[in-house]
């Protein structure tokens, strides 16, 4: 009569689900051909990457291996739910305290199974994002193959027919192929970085939420175990009546409230970097930000503080007035120099103080 909280399947949306809506069901949960057998795992592991472009083979194998991981997580989730049912069924025939606690433990274990099933759906977001990189790699491979084929044809013609007119045509095609390949390679580089960050953000966020919630359930499970009286009794002694029904029910309710209200911002576990790791990481982020925003050269030139040595900026009119003034001074100087020359010539023709003429006189010769 106290088993009303067992295996509740319906749940209202949690705070985490409201903040981050759950993804659609994983693609691995449907379309099975080989059922639960490990044959499908073996086939995927052996045939992954055997077909398709060379550039995408390694990532194709990674995607297939992750599919095996998701199938394993799905199987674990289902088996954990079955174990929770079986634990509750076994404890039903035990003493009152053990029966009540095992029933509530079954509730918690079943909740872990549901969390693992939700983890599969969020894990599929990571796998689908990585498949996007694989598709881009597969589309870039034909560009590489075409470029390499043209290069091989040019090399073959230069060896057999060095003067063949086809060489010029092939070289023009090679230029176009190189341009096409350059665009494709740049696109692959950009998309790879973008999707790798997005994909593993999905995975780590899902793992973090799953681990935090499992830790919450484990903590409340330990509180349930404290309600069991494990004091040894002697043969024939009767244990005290169990009065922990309300307490166990309240613990389950508290656990449900904690899971419902959990959000990433309230996570209990935080990764703390050392001073060295934090400094190096910040330096790397600054370099990335500087390349994306451009270099700031505003602080490269040291400002001058000796204002007395600065020249006052002048307008064009002031510059023209100064030029005219210099020109007038130059003309005045030339006029002054010409006046001095004329005065010196005139004075040379005058008689000096002894009554002798300073200029040359024409000599008269006697006839």
């Amino acid at each position: 009569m106290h088993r009303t909280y067992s295996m509740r399947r319906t749940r209202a949306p949690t705070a985490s689900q409201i903040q981050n809506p759950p993804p659609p069901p994983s693609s691995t949960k449907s379309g099975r051909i080989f059922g639960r057998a490990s044959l499908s795992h073996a086939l995927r592991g052996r045939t992954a990457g055997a077909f398709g472009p060379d550039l995408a083979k390694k990532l194709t194998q990674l995607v297939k291996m992750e599919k095996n991981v998701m199938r394993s997580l799905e199987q674990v989730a289902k088996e954990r739910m079955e174990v929770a049912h079986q634990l509750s069924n076994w404890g039903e025939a035990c003493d009152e305290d053990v029966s009540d606690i095992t029933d509530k433990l079954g509730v918690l274990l079943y909740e872990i199974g549901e969390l693992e099933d939700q983890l599969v759906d969020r894990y599929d977001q990571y796998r689908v994002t990585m498949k996007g990189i694989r598709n881009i790699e597969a589309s870039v491979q034909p560009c590489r193959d075409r470029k390499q084929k043209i290069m091989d044809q040019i090399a073959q013609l230069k060896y057999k027919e060095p003067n063949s007119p086809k060489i010029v045509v092939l070289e023009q095609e090679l230029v176009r192929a190189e341009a096409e390949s350059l665009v494709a390679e740049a696109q692959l580089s950009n998309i790879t970085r973008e999707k790798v960050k997005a994909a593993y953000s999905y995975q780590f966020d899902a793992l973090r939420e799953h681990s935090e919630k499992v830790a919450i359930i484990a903590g409340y499970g330990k509180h349930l175990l404290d309600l069991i009286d494990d004091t040894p009794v002697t043969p024939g002694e009767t244990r005290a009546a169990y009065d922990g029904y309300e307490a166990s029910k309240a613990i389950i309710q508290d656990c449900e409230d904690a899971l419902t209200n959990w959000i990433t911002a309230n996570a209990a576990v935080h990764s703390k970097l050392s001073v060295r790791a934090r400094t190096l990481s910040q330096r790397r982020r600054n370099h990335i930000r500087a390349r994306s925003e451009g270099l700031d050269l505003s602080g490269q030139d040291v400002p001058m503080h000796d204002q007395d040595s600065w020249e006052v900026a002048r307008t064009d009119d002031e510059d023209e007035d100064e030029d005219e003034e210099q020109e007038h001074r130059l003309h005045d100087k030339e006029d002054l120099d010409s006046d001095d020359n004329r005065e010196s010539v005139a004075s040379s023709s005058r008689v000096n103080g002894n009554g002798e003429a300073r200029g040359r006189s024409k000599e008269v010769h006697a006839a």
Side-chain angles (χ1 to χ4, degrees):
M1 60 181 176
H2 297 285
R3 311 177 74 81
T4 55
Y5 275 77
S6 298
M7 315 308 172
R8 295 203 337 181
R9 294 178 178 272
T10 59
R11 292 284 190 274
T14 64
S16 177
Q17 291 174 343
I18 295 175
Q19 185 182 44
N20 186 17
S26 170
S27 58
T28 61
K29 293 181 179 179
S30 61
R32 292 191 178 185
I33 299 176
F34 299 101
R36 297 185 179 182
S38 60
L39 179 60
S40 59
H41 282 61
L43 288 177
R44 276 192 293 269
R46 293 178 182 178
T47 61
F51 308 99
D54 294 337
L55 182 60
K57 282 185 177 181
K58 292 183 178 180
L59 191 53
T60 299
Q61 188 171 5
L62 173 64
V63 171
K64 295 297 183 181
M65 293 172 67
E66 290 290 7
K67 191 170 186 179
N68 286 345
V69 172
M70 293 174 60
R71 288 285 175 84
S72 299
L73 290 174
E74 184 183 351
Q75 186 67 22
V76 169
K78 289 183 177 181
E79 292 184 355
R80 192 181 296 277
M81 293 178 188
E82 294 176 359
V83 167
H85 277 292
Q86 188 63 26
L87 175 63
S88 180
N89 292 334
W90 166 77
E92 191 173 2
C94 298
D95 295 338
E96 289 187 351
D97 54 349
V98 176
S99 176
D100 180 58
I101 297 304
T102 53
D103 178 60
K104 300 303 187 292
L105 290 178
V107 173
L108 297 184
L109 293 178
Y110 191 90
E111 183 68 25
I112 293 178
E114 288 187 342
L115 291 176
E116 289 171 340
D117 189 67
Q118 296 173 10
L119 174 62
V120 174
D121 296 337
R122 294 190 179 276
Y123 202 90
D124 193 47
Q125 286 185 297
Y126 147 74
R127 194 180 70 92
V128 170
T129 307
M130 295 299 290
K131 286 173 66 175
I133 304 177
R134 181 202 63 184
N135 297 337
I136 295 295
E137 288 182 346
S139 65
V140 171
Q141 186 65 50
C143 297
R144 290 187 177 182
D145 295 341
R146 180 169 176 266
K147 176 183 173 182
Q148 186 62 41
K149 181 179 179 181
I150 296 174
M151 293 175 63
D152 294 341
Q153 290 177 352
I154 292 175
Q156 186 177 7
L157 283 176
K158 285 185 177 180
Y159 178 75
K160 293 184 177 180
E161 302 178 17
N163 298 325
S164 176
K166 293 183 179 180
I167 296 179
V168 178
V169 178
L170 290 175
E171 288 178 347
Q172 293 176 354
E173 291 184 4
L174 179 61
V175 171
R176 290 192 293 268
E178 287 178 345
E180 182 181 356
S181 177
L182 190 63
V183 174
E185 294 289 347
Q187 183 182 13
L188 174 62
S189 177
N190 295 334
I191 292 180
T192 298
R193 284 159 174 77
E194 176 185 356
K195 287 188 175 294
V196 163
K197 293 182 69 173
Y200 281 94
S201 294
Y202 289 142
Q203 182 181 144
F204 291 140
D205 288 343
L207 291 174
R208 184 181 187 183
E209 180 177 353
H210 177 73
S211 301
E212 288 266 351
K213 289 185 175 181
V214 169
I216 291 174
I217 293 175
Y220 283 100
K222 295 292 292 292
H223 289 303
L224 283 175
L225 294 177
D226 292 337
L227 300 180
I228 297 178
D229 183 10
D230 59 348
T231 305
V233 295
T234 59
E237 182 181 358
T238 305
R239 291 185 180 274
Y242 176 67
D243 58 353
Y245 291 110
E246 295 297 327
S248 63
K249 188 185 300 184
I251 290 175
I252 291 295
Q253 188 63 49
D254 290 345
C255 181
E256 291 182 355
D257 293 341
L259 295 176
T260 302
N261 299 325
W262 185 92
I263 57 176
T264 305
N266 297 335
V269 179
H270 298 279
S271 55
K272 297 181 180 179
L273 297 177
S274 63
V275 177
R276 179 174 181 272
R278 187 165 56 251
T279 302
L280 295 175
S281 300
Q282 185 62 39
R283 184 184 304 172
R284 172 63 179 171
R285 289 193 295 268
N286 292 339
H287 289 168
I288 296 175
R289 189 182 302 111
R291 284 195 295 269
S292 61
E293 298 177 357
L295 296 178
D296 184 12
L297 302 180
S298 60
Q300 187 176 15
D301 297 332
V302 180
M304 297 178 63
H305 299 286
D306 51 343
Q307 300 181 2
D308 297 336
S309 63
W310 294 358
E311 293 185 1
V312 180
R314 296 177 297 183
T315 61
D316 296 338
D317 295 337
E318 292 176 348
D319 292 338
E320 291 178 359
D321 294 340
E322 184 179 359
D323 294 339
E324 291 178 359
E325 186 178 354
Q326 291 179 356
E327 186 176 357
H328 287 311
R329 286 199 297 268
L330 182 59
H331 287 308
D332 294 341
K333 184 178 180 182
E334 291 177 353
D335 294 341
L336 182 60
D337 293 340
S338 61
D339 292 340
D340 292 341
N341 292 334
R342 286 195 297 270
E343 184 178 355
S344 62
V345 172
S347 61
S348 63
S349 62
R350 291 196 297 267
V351 181
N352 58 11
N354 295 330
E356 296 178 354
R358 295 181 62 184
R360 291 186 179 182
S361 59
K362 186 177 182 181
E363 294 180 358
V364 180
H365 296 280

